[in-house]
Amino acid sequence: MTMSDDDILAPRKSRSGSRSRFSGTEARGPIIDQDGREIRPETLEQGFREFRFEFGQGNPFGNLTREQRIARLEAIAKLLDVAFILPGTNIRYGIDGLIGLIPVVGDIITTAISLWLVREARALGAPWYLTARMLGNVAVDGVVGMVPLAGDAFDVMFRANMRNMRLLRRWLDKQPRL
């Protein structure tokens, strides 16, 4: 049995012949939370007034230390470039090589993630010349990776993210500890 547009916009009367008293603005019973406790309407209204999103405020990953941020970057670089081993060989590859198999879109996604790693390195204080080298690695990886099949093989062998982390780690090791 299908409903007509009129039934959707103006529901039918109930079977008893009288119209439902629920208008949508008033609740027909207590409001219960997920633990089964009753919530008073006053506290609910107060909660809605206090509830708001703060976009652009603070760090979404919390207050990480410098070492924790570097460890996170290294973990992402390893995931992108050397997370898996090709069975029967000693060839390592990451999700960069797998996602790169999707024509164009995969390469754009992996290049965007690689650019985020460069941005994080810059936020850690990497100088412009180091950032330029890192961007060069990402550009080579992204452009050559666009070539079907040969580009994917290049992605597996070039490992731009691991190169960038090696560059960043060498620079960080030369910096005085505070």
Side-chain angles (χ1 to χ4, degrees), residues 25-87:
T25 58
E26 57 192 47
R28 293 203 284 177
I31 300 169
I32 307 295
D33 69 359
Q34 64 189 18
D35 296 324
R37 293 182 299 239
E38 185 176 345
I39 301 173
R40 293 194 337 251
E42 307 84 55
T43 57
L44 193 62
E45 291 170 6
Q46 178 185 7
F48 282 128
R49 276 184 265 134
E50 293 175 2
F51 184 74
R52 65 179 180 273
F53 286 105
E54 301 271 340
F55 293 107
Q57 302 291 324
N59 185 352
F61 297 106
N63 295 327
L64 299 178
T65 64
R66 183 180 179 100
E67 289 77 25
Q68 288 172 330
R69 292 175 77 182
I70 294 166
R72 180 182 64 192
L73 293 178
E74 287 178 341
I76 293 171
K78 286 179 183 176
L79 179 66
L80 285 170
D81 289 341
V82 293
F84 312 108
I85 298 175
L86 192 63

Side-chain angles (χ1 to χ4, degrees), residues 92-134:
R92 297 188 71 88
Y93 65 97
I95 61 171
D96 186 1
L98 295 175
I99 295 173
L101 290 171
I102 302 169
V104 183
V105 174
D107 295 307
I108 290 171
I109 291 169
T110 57
T111 301
I113 296 170
S114 297
L115 288 172
W116 178 79
L117 290 174
V118 174
R119 182 204 157 278
E120 284 291 307
R122 186 69 179 157
L124 285 170
W128 68 270
Y129 63 88
L130 183 69
T131 307
R133 279 190 69 185
M134 293 172 81

